[in-house]
Amino acid sequence: MIVGIKDGLKLFGVAIVCACAVFVCTFFLNYYIDCLALTEIPAESVELYNAQQLSAKLTCIITGGVLAVIAVFLVAFYTGLFIEERSKTIGALKALGYPNGRISLGFWVFGLSVLLGTALGHGLGYALAPTIYSLMSDGFLKVSLHYHAELTAGLVIAPTVVFSFVAVLCAYLKLRAPVMQLLRGKAEKAKTGKAKSNKRSFLWETFFRTPITHKALSFFVALAGFCFAAMMQMGWSMKTLSSVSMGLIMLIIGLVLAVTTFLLAMTSLTRGNAKTVSLMKAYGYNFWEYGNAVFGGFRLFAYIGFAVGTAYQYGLLRLMVDLVFNSVETMPEYSFNVGCFFVTLVCFVVVYELAVLYFNYRIGKENVRKFVSE
């Protein structure tokens, strides 16, 4: 069997993203359902009740939807990476007559990581639900916490089935490659167009080419910047708009997502370029030269992600304050926090650059002798 149970449980990136998505959706949707069961709502709480109901729906749709799309990309990425790493074995099976459908069906086990993540997020969501209920009710509404089996089915079981299907489909599409291409491993694309000028140095060629040839990793680096910027600034604003506890939850979720996606990208990049860096060291390139050539091109994507994340959190909070809670008298004013933006930006620059230095150090420890036989 090409894909085993252990392989399916190793997709930590998928599990963490699913856990964060289901964690948020669990207590918001549970609160929404429990509020629908209320028979008597005090007149002074009607506006707050309507606003909280709309807020719960919008948060689940936007946050859950964004994280679901990210999880789909992660499953597709892991599936493609797994096939590339075992392309020779899979190619041999195809040469022996195994059909694509039979091989791709084994990738259903990737859904186990989704099951692990959604179950963890669902459990944590219910564990934190009493605190969230207290914060959202703001002392005006008395909403009792109840367990809803349909939420477990919709947030744990259904995503597992859907993502298992996505993994199988991605594997099937990837396996349509010719047998000889799989047996040879990852083949380089044929160069087209005019020959490039010799004036551009090898270092600059590598600097610009690496992000282009690793589009998925460029996306994940940008995503790390997006999550860091959006959730850090949103968490800070929540201290005023909601509570310190809600702000802390947002901040932790943002940091977890940012660290997870960044580590995924940098680990894959380090593993894929270890041979190149070893050869560069053998030819006399120093620490800063090969580090900037391999990792430097991703810096632009990180800062673009940061900028988009900043705009996203501002737009989302403006939507909540101006549209959802516009009739609630106790809702404070909201404006873009310039000080928080610059503090978050400085923190991001420092953390990002230190992390790149660490991975530069890691990739530089590879010895060229390891690749002599290849």
Side-chain angles (χ1 to χ4, degrees):
M1 188 176 181
I2 296 296
V3 192
I5 300 297
K6 292 182 179 179
D7 296 312
L9 294 173
K10 288 180 180 178
L11 310 187
F12 297 112
V14 175
I16 290 174
V17 171
C18 290
C20 291
V22 173
F23 170 69
V24 173
C25 291
T26 293
F27 54 72
F28 273 116
L29 288 178
N30 211 83
Y31 181 83
Y32 175 79
I33 295 173
D34 284 339
C35 279
L36 292 178
L38 295 178
T39 55
E40 296 183 4
I41 303 174
E44 65 274 12
S45 302
V46 172
E47 291 182 351
L48 177 63
Y49 171 83
N50 293 331
Q52 294 289 27
Q53 290 291 81
L54 182 56
S55 173
K57 288 191 289 186
L58 285 177
T59 302
C60 291
I61 291 172
I62 296 174
T63 304
V66 170
L67 292 179
V69 171
I70 294 172
V72 169
F73 275 105
L74 283 172
V75 169
F77 172 78
Y78 276 120
T79 302
L81 184 64
F82 186 92
I83 292 175
E84 287 179 1
E85 291 178 346
R86 292 163 176 79
S87 61
K88 294 182 180 180
T89 303
I90 295 173
L93 288 177
K94 289 188 64 175
L96 291 173
Y98 281 78
N100 292 342
R102 181 176 176 182
I103 299 175
S104 61
L105 281 176
F107 284 84
W108 72 267
V109 297
F110 281 8
L112 294 178
S113 290
V114 177
L115 177 62
L116 179 65
T118 53
L120 176 62
H122 198 52
L124 290 176
Y126 269 112
L128 198 63
T131 302
I132 300 299
Y133 273 42
S134 176
L135 294 174
M136 295 186 69
S137 298
D138 201 24
F140 294 101
L141 294 173
K142 293 183 179 180
V143 184
S144 299
L145 175 64
H146 299 89
Y147 170 73
H148 302 282
E150 61 271 26
L151 277 185
T152 302
L155 296 177
V156 179
I157 306 302
T160 302
V161 175
V162 171
F163 280 97
S164 293
F165 173 77
V166 169
V168 171
L169 178 61
C170 290
Y172 181 80
L173 296 175
K174 191 79 173 178
L175 290 173
R176 293 192 300 176
V179 173
M180 291 306 299
Q181 181 178 328
L182 290 170
L183 290 173
R184 285 195 302 265
K186 188 176 181 181
E188 295 183 359
K189 294 182 179 179
K191 296 182 179 180
T192 58
K194 297 180 180 179
K196 294 184 178 179
S197 172
N198 292 327
K199 293 181 180 179
R200 180 178 291 181
S201 69
F202 169 73
L203 291 176
W204 283 108
E205 287 282 348
T206 307
F207 177 90
F208 288 110
R209 184 179 294 276
T210 303
I212 296 174
T213 56
H214 297 83
K215 295 181 179 64
L217 301 186
S218 299
F219 169 77
F220 292 133
V221 170
L223 180 61
F226 174 89
C227 294
F228 190 96
M231 295 309 215
M232 285 283 286
Q233 295 178 78
M234 190 180 297
W236 183 268
S237 298
M238 281 295 177
K239 291 173 59 179
T240 303
L241 297 177
S242 180
S243 66
V244 175
S245 300
M246 187 67 77
L248 185 61
I249 291 172
M250 293 293 181
L251 190 146
I252 292 174
I253 290 176
L255 289 178
V256 169
L257 290 174
V259 170
T260 300
T261 51
F262 182 78
L263 288 180
L264 168 64
M266 291 296 106
T267 302
S268 299
L269 190 64
T270 300
R271 185 170 56 205
N273 288 274
K275 180 179 179 180
T276 301
V277 169
S278 295
L279 293 173
M280 291 176 70
K281 287 174 59 182
Y283 279 101
Y285 292 96
N286 62 39
F287 177 86
W288 301 107
E289 288 175 330
Y290 64 72
N292 188 59
V294 174
F295 298 106
F298 291 89
R299 190 173 285 109
L300 174 63
F301 293 94
Y303 293 133
I304 289 176
F306 185 92
V308 174
T310 298
Y312 166 81
Q313 65 86 26
Y314 175 73
L316 182 60
L317 290 180
R318 272 260 72 95
L319 175 68
M320 289 295 184
V321 173
D322 296 342
L323 178 64
V324 179
F325 291 95
N326 63 333
S327 59
V328 179
E329 297 180 356
T330 57
M331 177 58 61
E333 294 291 330
Y334 170 71
S335 60
F336 185 76
N337 193 326
V338 178
C340 178
F341 167 76
F342 281 108
V343 170
T344 305
L345 177 60
V346 171
C347 291
F348 178 71
V349 171
V350 172
V351 172
Y352 179 84
E353 297 300 335
L354 288 176
V356 169
L357 281 177
Y358 167 73
F359 281 100
N360 194 12
Y361 168 75
R362 273 188 56 183
I363 200 173
K365 293 185 68 177
E366 295 288 351
N367 196 307
V368 70
R369 296 177 182 176
K370 178 179 178 181
F371 307 101
V372 169
S373 60
E374 296 184 11

